[in-house]
Amino acid sequence: MDASLIVYALNLSAIYALMAIGISLLWSSIGMLNMAHGATFAVSGYGALVIGGAVLPTVDALLQGSMLLSYARFVVLLAAGAGVGALCGGVIYLLAFLPIHDKANFAVRGLIVTLAINLATVQGLLWWFGPRQQALPQIFGFGRLEVLGIPLRYDQAATIGATAVLLVAVLAWLKLSRKGLEIRAMMQNPEGAALSGISVRRAAMPVMAITGAMAGAAAVLLSQSVFVSPTAGAMPLIKGMIIALLGGLGSVPGAAIAALLIGVLEAATGAIPFLGQRMVLLVQFGFIILVLIIRPRGIGGLLDETRK
Amino acid sequence: MNEPIAPVLHKVGNRRHEWMLRPEGRKTWQRRRLPLIGRHWLTWRGGHNPRTLERERRLADKRPLWWLVGLAGLVATAPFLSDAMLQIAIVFCVFAAINVIWTLIIGAAGILSLATMATVGLGAYAAAAANVYLGVPWPLMFPVGLLVGLMAGGLLALPSTRIDGLYYALLTIGVAEICRVSISQIRALAPQNSSINNVDSFIPQDWFLQRPGLLLGFASAFVLLLLALLLFRLVNSERLGLQLQAAREDEEFSEAVGIDYKRARLLVFLIASGALGVIGAYYAMLYRSISLNIFSLDQLLLMFAMIVIGGMGRAEGAVIGTAIVVLIDRALIDLGPLRIILIAAVVIIVTLTTHRGLADARSQFRAYRNRIKSERRAARTRKGGEVMPEEATEIADKQLIAYRRFDKRLRDRLKALITPELIEEHRRAPLGPHSDALARVMNYFRRGEMSDKYAILQEGDPGSWTYSVMALSGEPGKPPRVVDDRHYGSRDEAYHAVFLLRVNDLLES
Amino acid sequence: MSAILEIRDLSAGYGALRVLHEINLTVERGERLAIVGLNGHGKTTLFRAITHLVGWQRGSIRFDTHEIGGARSLGEGRRTPGIVRLGVAMTPQGDAIFPGLTVRQHLDCGAWSRRAWRERARRRALIFEMFPPLRKLENTTVGTLSGGERRMVSVGRALMTEARLYLIDEPSLGLAPVISKRVVDALRQIDVRDGAMIIAEQNVSLLDGQVDRMIGMHAGRLRGDVGHVELG
């Protein structure tokens, strides 16, 4: 495997990790499988497109010719995507979590409601923007830089870098802040959490917003190489979901490792001539089903066992 | 606590309306049974009116009648429908058949599988390819579909034993996508657009999309739906279904009594997959072609919406949900993408408000009403008081009601007798002689139930006995419990302590 | 000095079962109160009604200046965090409430106020002083502790943020007499000058001399108020 393939794999892994960790985090903290993650992804892409279209000319005019221009553009788009994503998370929270979170059968009902939100959102985007694919404004162009002798496209570097920063920030927040502790307490015993002054409804809101923001960021980062379209969310959703499964639903480190594995697998499958791009999904599924049959709790289960 | 009870009238009774026949009491009751399975057509419950002693026969389950009315209405109106409406009716029948079988997988087998449309599509493609490329005549397309469905079911069932619940559901969402990609890869199968056209059919070529063809199509689709319902009934209400129901309620226990529920689950899954394959073959024939659309995620979500709206796990739910979604999706076609949003909104509203879909809404409402009613009743009940009017309708032995009323009045009388002087009298001479009032109270105490009584525990050495009071449990085998940690020096003191406890209980009741 | 807790005509239950029958109870500031009675006579339900964790309830509960009673329209437990944040600390009857967290995380969960969270290290040290055995168990998960240690953790969690009303449910349940004595001694150390503490207990002798007032509870009613039978 040559160096550029590794970079490609890392690039894919980064985006998948953003989606899968969001899904996994939601499951482990509030016990909901968010099928509307794909909708968040698609809406954030359009959000970045619209906001970028409105704001970027001003930014260009302000920072004309400055070194900082492309960074500023990047930050604006990323912030727009993440912001819209967080907003979507809030809407999903209001619709799918708040009314039923302490009712019977929440896991399945939450899954159904978020699926319906996904369906409605995709159709709404189709209706509003039409089926045409659109491209986000290019930020870094097609330039390359060399890191340790490995050629790196600017957008790849930005994706990998931004993802790493985001993930570290989220994990640190979970580890160090009181909210992170509350989330863990909530999952173990909701009644005990209530007696510790932890409101499930209040603690779930930031988690929803943050996972939504992660999906939004993933949308902006992926849109550097893929177009924005109403159905753009389906593939990242399916990939994110199966990676979260492979990681063992609920385990954040498991999801990160699984994202890396799947990214490498995808890059490798695409590179092997007789398999090719179109067989990528098949190979991934085969791999995941195999892993899950051997280890029903995925990589996360494996991690737990070794820890014990 | 002692304020007078205002004469509030509360609504009484919550019996459901039941259809009742009053047959001639002297005739023997002849019940007809269905051939082969030996079940009755309708579940009648026989009995007597306790007051008039007339013979009564109540209909325990009205659902078969609803089914009959619904299905007969569909058949009766079909010939008068316009071509467009007839096509909608055909789609409804086919989708309802698929959903009924799917309900078998989700409800009876308890496997949350979303690979239904994948199985249908594989059956359809295999049958169509067999017909177009191998020249298999159309009646033989059904066994081809069956075989492919069984194979797909077998493959899908493999991971279902290891992976549980939602994990499996997520995994199976991807299966349709895999099928779509793989079939589009096989160039030999489908040259253009990956769809197979010109499939032979039971509808003659020149009737296709004409009135007679549509009528024939509807008739066949209706038969398909009936067959699906029959299969549902045969699997769900016979031995296999009962085994699975037992397993759903308690897996360990059913295993302990010898139910191999895993095998039963797999068997149901296989049967349903085979049936889905057959429906696939039928689908290819009905439209004379099959395209990759059948594998699309949107189609799957639409089918899932039908199941969810109706309620997972019940055949009537599958049919009702299908009717609602098909009507919105096909009849309001002018709305464009808006109608999908409408369907999604219906799904969201139904899921947020009902626990198990529309088919269950009625019983959910009843359960809610009963809960509220019993909470209100509990808030009004005074312990040991009379029977509440709404309770009275549920108590078969009316003598109990009269006794409770008598007991309540007796206690009210006795409460008036209890004064500090009376207690002082008992303290002085627990074993008598007693005044009339004290004797009445003591008599009431003696007559009480075992669970209301106390015992005296004597401990220590002869000469320095200590006594303490214990409460009897009233249940055989359950030992008395110590009431408090007080010890009494003499037996009379202990007697008096018991008396005080009983008086306390009486005043509180 | 006004009462810290005033309960008027509180009835509560689960579905058709009514457990509490029009309870009336006033707790003064600075008071340590014990509610004694047998299993299944409503002590825990009383606590759960104060924190809105029962199936249904009616009646007024006045905590300090806030009315926290009334019939509940939302699901059970929805108002609980708000009530806890008014200053009610309850240790539930069960043992480890978060079996997967370490002792340290468990204690931190109790520090819900901003100030308590900032000072959590100092407060943990105070708890460890109160319960020395916990000090060396700081990083073990609560699920692996013994019953007595768990009870200490549970009580310690309630002490992490200063509350005005402590509801301690069955401090001796399932513990060896020596250990339950230690737990009660620790409860005795808690400063309740501004608030109050209610302990529900079956074992009357354990609380002898440790509380200011004892009330019996029988069949969902408080017995001390009846007058014909005096207890303890």
Side-chain angles (χ1 to χ4, degrees):
Chain A
M1 205 195 280
D2 62 352
S4 67
L5 205 61
I6 293 176
V7 171
Y8 177 59
L10 273 179
N11 189 20
L12 284 173
S13 307
I15 288 161
Y16 291 161
L18 277 177
M19 293 297 282
I21 287 176
I23 291 167
S24 223
L25 197 59
L26 268 184
W27 174 251
S28 70
S29 59
I30 59 177
M32 185 168 111
L33 275 177
N34 186 2
M35 301 303 280
H37 225 56
T40 307
F41 186 93
V43 172
S44 309
Y46 276 100
L49 191 75
V50 172
I51 296 177
V55 176
L56 281 184
T58 338
V59 176
D60 290 348
L62 275 178
L63 296 169
Q64 191 66 53
S66 157
M67 279 286 289
L68 289 172
L69 181 62
S70 57
Y71 291 104
R73 287 171 66 108
F74 179 62
V75 168
V76 164
L77 279 182
L78 202 61
V84 173
L87 218 61
C88 282
V91 171
I92 295 166
Y93 167 83
L94 285 179
L95 268 178
F97 178 79
L98 208 50
I100 51 170
H101 74 94
D102 52 358
K103 300 281 162 59
N105 241 340
F106 168 61
V108 174
R109 283 163 81 188
L111 176 90
I112 292 167
V113 173
T114 46
L115 256 181
I117 293 175
N118 199 35
L119 191 65
T121 313
V122 170
Q123 293 299 322
L125 286 176
L126 261 177
W127 184 51
W128 192 258
F129 291 99
R132 198 164 55 87
Q133 296 188 330
Q134 300 180 53
L136 267 190
Q138 276 293 331
I139 303 168
F140 298 106
F142 295 100
R144 281 166 188 276
L145 76 162
E146 296 250 331
V147 178
L148 302 173
I150 301 167
L152 206 57
R153 278 209 324 263
Y154 282 149
D155 61 299
Q156 285 177 334
T159 303
I160 296 168
T163 305
V165 169
L166 267 175
L167 287 186
V168 166
V170 168
L171 289 181
W173 176 76
L174 276 180
K175 198 91 196 150
L176 299 177
S177 78
R178 178 165 164 84
K179 270 283 180 282
L181 185 62
E182 286 184 353
I183 289 163
R184 259 173 292 165
M186 218 159 66
M187 196 55 193
Q188 296 200 358
N189 180 350
E191 192 181 298
L195 285 174
S196 308
I198 299 165
S199 162
V200 173
R201 285 173 299 160
R202 231 186 272 172
M205 178 74 211
V207 187
M208 283 297 234
I210 282 178
T211 51
M214 282 162 75
V220 173
L221 292 174
L222 189 68
S223 304
Q224 292 303 307
S225 41
V226 178
F227 295 108
V228 174
S229 77
T231 50
M235 231 341 108
L237 171 71
I238 291 180
K239 291 264 171 78
M241 216 38 111
I242 57 179
I243 288 167
L245 275 182
L246 178 63
L249 268 179
S251 159
V252 173
I257 295 173
L260 214 57
L261 266 179
I262 291 295
V264 169
L265 194 67
E266 179 163 340
T269 320
I272 297 172
F274 64 89
L275 285 175
Q277 274 301 328
R278 310 213 61 169
M279 299 304 272
V280 163
L281 202 63
L282 264 180
V283 172
Q284 282 175 348
F285 257 98
F287 177 71
I288 285 163
I289 291 174
L290 208 67
V291 170
L292 283 185
I293 287 176
I294 300 166
R295 288 259 149 218
R297 284 184 53 227
I299 295 170
L302 209 64
L303 289 177
D304 283 349
E305 274 164 35
T306 47
R307 207 177 293 148
K308 276 177 194 141
Chain B
M1 173 171 166
N2 289 323
E3 83 274 16
I5 302 164
V8 186
L9 289 178
H10 296 284
K11 283 208 174 139
V12 165
N14 55 0
R15 277 209 202 152
R16 293 157 64 171
H17 178 254
E18 284 173 320
W19 289 6
M20 200 159 58
L21 295 182
R22 293 185 197 282
E24 174 65 45
R26 275 164 297 186
K27 270 192 202 156
T28 35
W29 187 1
Q30 301 245 329
R31 309 177 82 177
R32 285 186 225 300
R33 287 171 186 276
L34 282 166
L36 296 176
I37 51 174
R39 284 178 182 269
H40 302 293
W41 286 100
L42 288 170
T43 333
W44 289 99
R45 208 176 282 140
H48 286 92
N49 185 321
R51 213 170 36 157
T52 61
L53 295 182
E54 271 178 348
R55 186 123 182 86
E56 282 179 352
R57 210 174 280 171
R58 293 168 191 281
L59 185 59
D61 191 356
K62 272 180 266 183
R63 280 177 299 179
L65 295 182
W66 288 117
W67 276 111
L68 193 67
V69 169
L71 293 177
L74 186 62
V75 172
T77 45
F80 308 105
L81 293 175
S82 68
D83 281 5
M85 284 307 282
L86 205 55
Q87 277 189 338
I88 294 176
I90 293 173
V91 170
F92 162 74
C93 286
V94 175
F95 281 2
I98 294 176
N99 283 335
V100 166
I101 303 291
W102 193 3
T103 300
L104 210 52
I105 297 177
I106 292 185
I111 301 174
L112 193 52
S113 162
L114 298 175
T116 318
M117 289 314 281
T119 315
V120 173
L122 285 179
Y125 262 97
N131 177 264
V132 172
Y133 301 118
L134 304 178
V136 175
W138 71 261
L140 286 181
M141 282 168 69
F142 289 117
V144 171
L146 177 70
L147 262 179
V148 171
L150 282 177
M151 264 152 50
L155 278 178
L156 286 169
L158 274 182
S160 80
T161 51
R162 290 279 295 177
I163 307 163
D164 48 26
L166 289 176
Y167 284 57
Y168 187 71
L170 293 186
L171 214 56
T172 46
I173 288 182
V175 170
E177 189 65 19
I178 294 186
C179 290
R180 201 174 62 82
V181 172
S182 342
I183 286 182
S184 68
Q185 290 301 294
I186 310 175
R187 294 254 171 255
L189 194 65
Q192 348 120 4
N193 278 344
S194 300
S195 61
I196 304 179
N197 300 318
N198 298 323
V199 183
D200 198 8
S201 171
F202 51 88
I203 304 172
Q205 180 81 56
D206 41 338
W207 279 11
F208 190 59
L209 288 181
Q210 304 301 309
R211 186 75 189 172
L214 284 178
L215 282 176
L216 186 59
F218 173 76
S220 63
F222 188 76
V223 170
L224 186 77
L225 174 58
L226 285 187
L227 288 177
L229 286 171
L230 182 67
L231 183 70
F232 183 87
R233 179 79 203 205
L234 283 180
V235 172
N236 197 39
S237 325
E238 298 299 314
R239 175 185 289 270
L240 214 48
L242 292 178
Q243 286 182 346
L244 287 169
Q245 195 182 343
R248 274 201 302 277
E249 274 160 28
D250 191 334
E251 283 190 358
E252 273 107 38
F253 181 71
S254 55
E255 205 161 25
V257 295
I259 294 173
D260 189 354
Y261 66 88
K262 283 187 180 150
R263 196 186 128 267
R265 232 172 240 179
L266 284 186
L267 206 55
V268 171
F269 193 84
L270 275 183
I271 291 172
S273 299
L276 288 173
V278 172
I279 295 178
Y282 171 85
Y283 190 88
M285 281 184 241
L286 183 67
Y287 291 109
R288 293 186 158 267
S289 69
I290 184 72
S291 76
L292 283 179
N293 271 341
I294 199 166
F295 294 118
S296 76
L297 191 62
D298 287 350
Q299 184 63 47
L300 176 67
L301 290 183
L302 220 55
M303 302 296 281
F304 194 56
M306 299 177 196
I307 290 252
V308 164
I309 289 175
M312 285 191 240
R314 291 170 63 166
E316 56 264 45
V319 175
I320 294 171
T322 310
I324 293 174
V325 173
V326 167
L327 273 183
I328 297 178
D329 188 38
R330 300 289 160 123
L332 303 176
I333 208 133
D334 303 335
L335 287 178
L338 262 185
R339 66 188 199 281
I340 305 288
I341 298 176
L342 195 64
I343 291 171
V346 173
V347 170
I348 290 175
I349 291 168
V350 167
T351 316
L352 290 186
T353 50
T354 68
H355 292 176
R356 280 178 302 275
L358 280 183
D360 202 43
R362 230 171 102 160
S363 62
Q364 192 190 335
F365 174 70
R366 281 205 189 107
Y368 166 79
R369 200 175 54 184
N370 277 345
R371 207 194 69 214
I372 295 290
K373 216 192 281 182
S374 62
E375 277 182 9
R376 291 228 177 99
R377 186 163 82 201
R380 278 188 285 132
T381 310
R382 271 142 216 282
K383 191 172 176 265
E386 282 180 71
V387 173
M388 306 291 286
E390 58 263 52
E391 255 178 310
T393 59
E394 291 157 18
I395 297 176
D397 182 5
K398 305 298 180 198
Q399 206 180 339
L400 193 66
I401 303 170
Y403 174 70
R404 295 250 290 260
R405 184 178 303 146
F406 168 75
D407 198 46
K408 167 88 164 47
R409 291 187 185 167
L410 181 62
R411 269 181 285 125
D412 287 346
R413 288 269 173 97
L414 291 177
K415 275 181 198 172
L417 294 180
I418 290 172
T419 54
E421 292 81 53
L422 188 96
I423 291 171
E424 182 55 27
E425 184 195 340
H426 185 274
R427 200 189 59 75
R428 270 187 276 113
L431 297 182
H434 296 320
S435 66
D436 176 63
L438 185 54
R440 281 172 190 268
V441 175
M442 297 289 279
N443 266 335
Y444 175 76
F445 287 166
R446 291 189 189 111
R447 214 163 39 79
E449 281 176 26
M450 218 49 193
S451 57
D452 296 336
K453 291 194 173 180
Y454 297 89
I456 292 174
L457 176 69
Q458 181 180 355
E459 281 173 312
D461 306 313
S464 61
W465 295 113
T466 58
Y467 302 89
S468 50
V469 178
M470 305 184 77
L472 294 173
S473 67
E475 285 173 50
K478 233 178 142 188
R481 304 166 299 180
V482 180
V483 173
D484 52 31
D485 65 336
R486 287 202 68 167
H487 294 280
Y488 304 95
S490 72
R491 196 173 287 181
D492 280 0
E493 277 179 54
Y495 282 145
H496 187 59
V498 170
F499 178 73
L500 287 179
L501 283 166
R502 293 299 302 270
V503 167
N504 209 11
D505 293 347
L506 172 66
L507 289 178
E508 277 176 4
S509 67
Chain C
M1 199 148 87
S2 65
I4 182 107
L5 184 72
E6 226 181 319
I7 297 176
R8 288 277 158 268
D9 293 335
L10 177 68
S11 298
Y14 304 89
L17 178 70
R18 171 157 149 176
V19 183
L20 298 183
H21 299 266
E22 283 136 15
I23 298 264
N24 284 298
L25 174 69
T26 307
V27 183
E28 301 294 335
R29 253 171 236 278
E31 195 173 23
R32 268 172 232 270
L33 177 74
I35 293 183
V36 293
L38 294 175
N39 248 346
H41 282 263
K43 302 185 303 288
T44 301
T45 308
L46 174 62
F47 283 3
R48 291 176 73 85
I50 294 174
T51 47
H52 276 248
L53 285 168
V54 284
W56 58 266
Q57 62 185 71
R58 263 146 240 249
S60 130
I61 303 169
R62 207 168 172 75
F63 171 62
D64 210 359
T65 53
H66 310 274
E67 173 62 50
I68 55 172
R72 193 188 44 241
S73 55
L74 298 164
E76 61 195 70
R78 283 210 177 179
R79 277 186 70 179
T80 309
I83 291 168
V84 170
R85 279 167 185 273
L86 286 177
V88 178
M90 171 166 157
T91 61
Q93 196 170 29
D95 270 336
I97 59 178
F98 309 118
L101 297 188
T102 64
V103 171
R104 181 199 187 124
Q105 289 170 329
H106 202 107
L107 291 179
D108 285 352
C109 275
W112 50 260
S113 79
R114 247 169 233 285
R115 200 168 130 226
W117 178 252
R118 240 182 287 127
E119 299 177 348
R120 61 189 187 278
R122 199 173 60 75
R123 293 189 179 208
R124 271 204 308 269
L126 283 178
I127 305 279
F128 290 149
E129 235 161 69
M130 203 179 272
F131 301 110
L134 290 186
R135 197 188 300 274
K136 59 180 182 298
L137 298 170
E138 196 177 334
N139 290 318
T140 35
T141 49
V142 177
T144 60
L145 298 184
S146 73
E149 290 157 350
R150 286 191 213 175
R151 195 65 46 79
M152 291 178 205
V153 175
S154 183
V155 173
R157 181 195 57 76
L159 301 183
M160 281 297 281
T161 302
E162 49 286 280
R164 280 173 301 164
L165 180 65
Y166 293 95
L167 306 173
I168 314 289
D169 202 357
E170 302 269 358
S172 76
L173 186 75
L175 296 189
V178 188
I179 298 169
S180 43
K181 198 88 197 139
R182 193 188 290 161
V183 171
V184 173
D185 284 343
L187 292 177
R188 181 85 190 145
Q189 290 174 32
I190 300 171
D191 176 23
V192 290
R193 262 168 302 174
D194 186 38
M197 175 184 289
I198 308 180
I199 304 173
E201 184 54 69
Q202 290 191 52
N203 185 350
V204 182
S205 56
L206 185 70
L207 296 177
D208 211 19
Q210 308 279 338
V211 291
D212 305 322
R213 187 155 66 112
M214 271 197 196
I215 295 182
M217 189 155 202
H218 185 75
R221 288 162 208 273
L222 291 177
R223 216 177 193 174
D225 302 352
V226 178
H228 288 287
V229 177
E230 76 276 7
L231 261 143

